[in-house]
Amino acid sequence: GDSVTQMEGPVTLSEEAFLTINCTYTATGYPSLFWYVQYPGEGLQLLLKATKADDKGSNKGFEATYRKETTSFHLEKGSVQVSDSAVYFCALSRTGGFKTIFGAGTRLFVKA
Amino acid sequence: GAVVSQHPSRVICKSGTSVKIECRSLDFQATTMFWYRQFPKQSLMLMATSNEGSKATYEQGVEKDKFLINHASLTLSTLTVTSAHPEDSSFYICSARDRDSGNTIYFGEGSWLTVV
C-alpha cells in the first residue's frame, strides 16, 4: 500500500542554518504530495503541496520539489528561524481527494 | 478560503462517559470527511472515512462501536467516543474533501481529549 517515510528527528539547528528534511514515498500512480506543519499545541497547517512530477511547492521560505524518478519530496529552507520550531509531516494523497497518508513526522528545534 | 472547524478544541471528561466531537465544513459541502488520531509525539493515524448519508468505513483495528461516526449532513460529521477511558486521551483531527474545488482536502484545528 501507499506509504511515506521521512527522516527521524529531532533535528536541532541554529538560527539561519539551512534545513533539509528528507521524505520519500511509495505509491502507485501519481499522488499529490504535501508538507504539513504542526506548531506546539496546535492543529495541522498545510505548508506546501505539489500535484505532479517536477512541481515545486513553496511557502514562507520553504520549498519542496516533486521528484518522480527518486520518489522524493524533500523539504528545504535556506535560513531557519526560531519560529520555525515545529513538527513537520510529509504526506501523500491520491488524486480524487482520498485519505491522506502521513509520514511519522520530524520535530525541528531551532536555537537562537 | 475553505475552513473546517472542529468543536470542542479541548475537552476533559470522566472515565465511562461519552464525548462528541464535531467537524464542520464552513463554506463548502463535504461528502467525505476523515477522522484521524494522534498520540503524543507520533504521527496521525487514520481512524475512519465518513461518507455523508452512509456508514463510515473504519480502518483495521479501530473499534466501530467505541468510536461512533455520524455524517448526517453535507457540512457536519461527528465522532463520539463512547465509554471513554484514559487511554482514549489523544488529539483527534478531522479533514474534509471539497468536491467542488478539485477534491482539495482541508484539515480542522483538532480536538484535544483528556479522559480522567
Side-chain angles (χ1 to χ4, degrees), chain A residues 42-99:
Chain A
E42 298 184 16
L44 280 184
Q45 298 179 29
L46 177 63
L47 181 59
L48 55 84
K49 69 177 182 180
T51 57
K52 61 182 187 295
D54 299 324
D55 266 3
K56 177 185 283 187
S58 62
N59 185 27
K60 300 180 180 179
F62 291 89
E63 293 183 342
T65 301
Y66 189 144
R67 300 289 188 197
K68 183 72 174 172
E69 64 276 12
T70 54
T71 61
S72 65
F73 194 54
H74 305 321
L75 182 68
E76 297 181 336
K77 186 175 186 182
S79 176
V80 293
Q81 306 299 314
V82 173
S83 58
D84 294 326
S85 298
V87 180
Y88 292 82
F89 292 95
C90 185
L92 71 80
S93 178
R94 296 287 196 89
T95 302
F98 293 100
K99 61 186 181 184

Side-chain angles (χ1 to χ4, degrees), chain B residues 1 8 10-11 13 21-22 42-44 56 58 70 72 80 96 113:
Chain B
R10 294 180 183 273
V11 59
C13 70
I21 301 170
E22 294 184 346
Q42 296 188 28
S43 189
L44 291 86
Y58 289 81
N70 184 281
T80 301
L113 169 64

Side-chain angles (χ1 to χ4, degrees), chain B residues 90-102:
Chain B
S90 189
F91 183 64
Y92 294 88
I93 192 166
C94 72
S95 66
R97 179 163 66 113
D98 183 356
R99 185 181 54 188
D100 294 331
S101 75

